[in-house]
Amino acid sequence: MSFFWRLTCSATLENIEIFADAIEEHVLSVGWFETTNPEIWMVEATVRKEPEMAFLQQLISEAAAQHKVPSPHLHVEKLPDADWLEQTWKNFPPLEIARFYIYGSHAKGEIPEGLIGMEINAATAFGSGEHQTTTGCLETLCDFMDAGIQVKNPLDMGCGSGVLAMAVTKLWQMPVLAVDNDPESVRVAAQNAATNKCEQLMHTLCNEGFEGDVVQKYGPFDLIVANILAGPLCDMAPQMVANTIKGGRIVLSGLLTRQIDEVAAAYEVAGATLVSVKNVGDWATLSLIK
């Protein structure tokens, strides 16, 4: 049996992203969530091989020192992959989000009338549909459909398990490019596309953002969806806008409501205008137009 490791540390909401960002490039997936104490939030990351705890703790400590905040202690727990993934996914019931009904094979049944079904199973890629950022993106995409916005050449940047890319193909019946820098995410996204019978419309690609010219060869795009984190979204702003056609739409999520101005400003400088904001809990989804 192979194993995963789960890394956790706690901090206040104001500081939590500092520590998630500090280890993001060295883990398979990372996120943060509120605990039973509303003043304390938890960073949770997963890795495939035994983590270098001294190195990761050093990253946490250096980030704390840079921002002049207390340094949390990083904890690690070994998890059997099959048991952990199975149990984690079974904790989530089917979800109804806008036009979509998202479920795992363990909850397979009749799809409610009028909803679009998407089967997402336990896997090592981030994104099963339950996070508030995914909700915001799915609702925004459905708003576009309701408004009669046409999409011909879309991109899902940082696709994770492929939920948003599949949503685009099911709404507009158009080919979509799904890009992620993690090979496992790309594998799982392709597997999910096959499960949901949209593999003919969904092309998966492993690439570090817009680096090189491989992504540009598919563009420019009239819709880009990116559910990542605020820092990478800001870093990608010039390339994201440059690879969008004039009048094209950009949907951004993975940011907290307090980060809206920061992210919107980065895209305004790059040439995109903020059109709308959708808040789901503490998380925001931005809709912009070039």
Side-chain angles (χ1 to χ4, degrees), residues 254-268:
L255 60 143
L256 292 161
T257 53
R258 62 180 174 82
Q259 298 168 321
I260 292 173
D261 292 343
E262 173 191 1
V263 175
Y267 280 80
E268 183 175 357

Side-chain angles (χ1 to χ4, degrees), residues 42-209:
M42 184 75 69
V43 170
E44 181 174 289
T46 56
V47 293
R48 286 198 204 94
K49 60 182 181 179
E50 188 171 1
E52 299 178 16
M53 292 302 293
F55 170 69
L56 294 172
Q57 184 64 61
Q58 181 181 353
L59 294 178
I60 293 287
S61 300
E62 289 176 352
Q66 180 183 353
H67 292 85
K68 299 180 180 179
V69 298
S71 177
H73 180 68
L74 195 60
H75 301 274
V76 63
E77 179 184 5
K78 191 175 184 180
L79 302 168
D81 60 354
D83 294 345
W84 167 57
L85 292 168
E86 179 87 10
Q87 190 57 46
T88 298
W89 183 228
K90 284 187 175 180
N91 286 334
F92 294 104
L95 304 170
E96 292 187 21
I97 304 173
R99 296 185 181 206
F100 294 98
Y101 182 77
I102 302 174
Y103 59 94
S105 58
H106 69 280
K108 187 177 293 187
E110 284 194 23
I111 297 170
E113 185 176 354
L115 296 181
I116 301 169
M118 286 198 291
E119 180 180 330
I120 308 294
N121 289 305
T124 55
F126 177 78
S128 53
E130 80 280 357
H131 198 275
Q132 292 160 318
T133 58
T134 307
T135 296
C137 289
L138 290 174
E139 291 180 349
T140 298
L141 292 173
C142 289
D143 289 344
F144 288 173
M145 173 61 70
D146 293 341
I149 294 172
Q150 297 300 309
V151 173
K152 296 182 179 179
N153 189 26
L155 164 67
D156 181 1
M157 176 56 71
C159 65
S161 62
V163 173
L164 299 179
M166 290 189 296
V168 171
T169 68
K170 288 179 177 293
L171 286 173
W172 285 281
Q173 296 300 307
M174 286 289 171
V176 60
L177 177 63
V179 178
D180 204 284
N181 63 358
D182 175 41
E184 181 65 12
S185 290
V186 174
R187 184 192 70 79
V188 171
Q191 181 180 345
N192 283 332
T195 298
N196 288 275
K197 296 180 172 57
C198 52
E199 69 273 21
Q200 298 301 317
L201 291 176
M202 186 170 144
H203 179 67
T204 54
L205 175 67
C206 188
N207 197 69
E208 186 63 49

